[in-house]
Amino acid sequence: MRNNEVKIGIGDMKVLRQEGTLITYALGSCIGITLYDPIIKLGGLLHIMLPQAGAQAAATPFKFADSGIREMIRKMAAYGGIKSRYVCKIAGGAQMFQMTGPIGNIGERNIASVRETLAQEKIRIQGEDVGKNYARTMLIDVSTGVVKIRTMGRNEVIL
Amino acid sequence: MKINRYDEMGERELDILREIASMGTGYAATSLASMIGTKVRMTIPEISILGYTETIEKVGDPEEAIAAVLTCMSGQIQGIMLFLLRLDFINEVLKKMLNQTVENYSDMTDMEMSVLSEVGNIIISSYANAISSLSGITIKLSVPSTSINMLGGILTVPMAEFGYVTDKLLMMDGSLVVDDRKLDSTILMMPDIDSLNVLMTELGKVYEK
């Protein structure tokens, strides 16, 4: 366990600069999105739960893919982050239970909304581990920008 | 009184929920007992209304492996029923039914998974039946789906399902005690807010009689 490890809950986002690790546990159908500005070593990790915010964007922006990504970009800009330099990686959007209907495809809808919002913001996804049927823990080391994914019964992978 | 948020409930409402949960868990314990031929008791159910992170912390470690059987409720009540089983409970059931046990979640064969799914199905159905027969409310259950995964990921399923209406989850949980050993399993009933009002109205009538 690192000394400076910052946990991100569901529907939340945090930013660190220079050193430390941002971590979010057990992404199921949720998606973790990291943005990293390598020039100033600024990293952010967002954990979204649902695809579109609709009227709830102002109250809980980080719960949703569209409002969450936009608010994250805005917050990181306040720390000096430059959008064109961001390295973006995403993980999650799994289907936890094999079911049809809205419960079955929430992960898929989350992935689609994350991709769409990032494309609108002109941010390219440089690494991803999405879909399938297992939960993932995602972490980013802010001193290096390395993003790792932990899953049950598999080795840790670097995105 | 119409409930608009889970945390608006008063003592009367919580009492009704406790009653529902003990009836449900009781029926589930009886079904499990007849299935595995052993004495099964239940613990006193707890009602909790918690945020996302707190909900996961209450049940366990977000990254721990756990088995889960999930069904959706529809009809007059909408929501999710989730039966969570840890290894000691799984092994007790597998021993009684197939005369075998497993070391790890990942060692489970298709046959063993199918036993789990069936046990989960019976337990969840008995729970729902208890509520129906007490209140006259019709509850339809979807075909159950089983998953072995990180606990945190499993619990995001109900969270995402209710995510547009609430930032808190209502959990009615009960555990089963097999052969006087408390084995790790939790039955969670998670109705949405509209359904909660249906439950309160219908069961309120029963109690006021």
Side-chain angles (χ1 to χ4, degrees), chain A residues 9-10 25-26 28-30 49-52 56 60 63-64 96-99 103 106 133-135 137 150-152, chain B residues 52 56 62-63 65 68 70 72 80 82 142-143 145 147-150 152-154 156-157 159-161 163-164 166-167:
Chain A
I10 298 166
Y25 295 107
S29 55
C30 299
M49 189 170 86
L50 292 163
Q52 274 96 25
Q56 297 181 38
T60 48
K63 219 161 101 178
F64 310 96
M96 303 302 289
F97 291 91
Q98 301 302 314
M99 297 185 107
I103 289 193
I106 180 76
N133 62 357
Y134 52 87
T137 287
R150 277 207 303 254
T151 44
M152 216 177 72
Chain B
Y52 302 136
I56 296 174
E63 285 189 294
L70 179 139
C72 296
I80 286 176
L82 195 56
S142 69
V143 177
S145 173
S147 172
I148 290 183
N149 237 304
M150 284 185 196
I154 302 250
T156 58
V157 175
M159 291 171 191
E161 172 70 4
Y164 280 109
T166 172
D167 284 327

Side-chain angles (χ1 to χ4, degrees), chain A residues 18-62:
Chain A
Q18 297 296 331
E19 58 184 20
T21 301
L22 295 165
I23 184 162
T24 194
Y25 295 107
L27 294 154
S29 55
C30 299
I31 298 191
I33 298 130
T34 59
L35 289 180
Y36 186 69
D37 185 333
I39 308 292
I40 56 168
K41 294 191 176 178
L42 175 75
L45 174 54
L46 164 71
H47 182 145
I48 63 101
M49 189 170 86
L50 292 163
Q52 274 96 25
Q56 297 181 38
T60 48
F62 296 130

Side-chain angles (χ1 to χ4, degrees), chain A:
Chain A
M1 194 80 145
R2 302 236 179 182
N3 291 334
N4 188 10
E5 198 175 74
V6 178
K7 294 187 189 85
I8 288 99
I10 298 166
D12 200 6
M13 195 278 303
K14 287 193 173 116
V15 177
L16 272 183
R17 200 148 54 175
Q18 297 296 331
E19 58 184 20
T21 301
L22 295 165
I23 184 162
T24 194
Y25 295 107
L27 294 154
S29 55
C30 299
I31 298 191
I33 298 130
T34 59
L35 289 180
Y36 186 69
D37 185 333
I39 308 292
I40 56 168
K41 294 191 176 178
L42 175 75
L45 174 54
L46 164 71
H47 182 145
I48 63 101
M49 189 170 86
L50 292 163
Q52 274 96 25
Q56 297 181 38
T60 48
F62 296 130
K63 219 161 101 178
F64 310 96
D66 54 354
S67 55
I69 291 171
R70 296 207 169 93
E71 182 64 10
M72 181 184 195
I73 293 169
R74 202 184 63 77
K75 279 256 164 74
M76 284 180 66
Y79 285 89
I82 306 284
K83 212 159 87 171
S84 60
R85 300 198 297 234
Y86 288 155
V87 176
C88 173
K89 292 177 181 174
I90 65 171
Q95 183 178 12
M96 303 302 289
F97 291 91
Q98 301 302 314
M99 297 185 107
T100 49
I103 289 193
N105 72 6
I106 180 76
E108 234 171 88
R109 286 187 288 140
N110 278 336
I111 297 169
S113 180
V114 165
R115 285 197 205 285
E116 195 189 320
T117 310
L118 287 168
Q120 283 164 3
E121 295 295 331
K122 300 190 170 50
I123 293 174
R124 195 166 65 89
I125 300 167
Q126 299 192 18
E128 60 174 51
D129 179 14
V130 293
K132 306 211 179 75
N133 62 357
Y134 52 87
R136 301 159 171 97
T137 287
M138 185 186 208
L139 50 137
I140 177 168
D141 180 338
V142 175
S143 64
T144 58
V146 170
V147 175
K148 289 182 185 159
I149 306 297
R150 277 207 303 254
T151 44
M152 216 177 72
R154 291 176 186 82
N155 290 329
E156 197 170 77
V157 291
I158 293 176
L159 268 196

Side-chain angles (χ1 to χ4, degrees), chain B residues 27 35 111 124 147 157 162 164 166 172 177 199 201 208:
Chain B
Y27 270 51
M35 194 164 32
M111 180 63 193
I124 289 172
S147 172
V157 175
F162 306 136
Y164 280 109
T166 172
M172 297 154 64
V177 182
L199 279 172
T201 319
E208 272 148 27

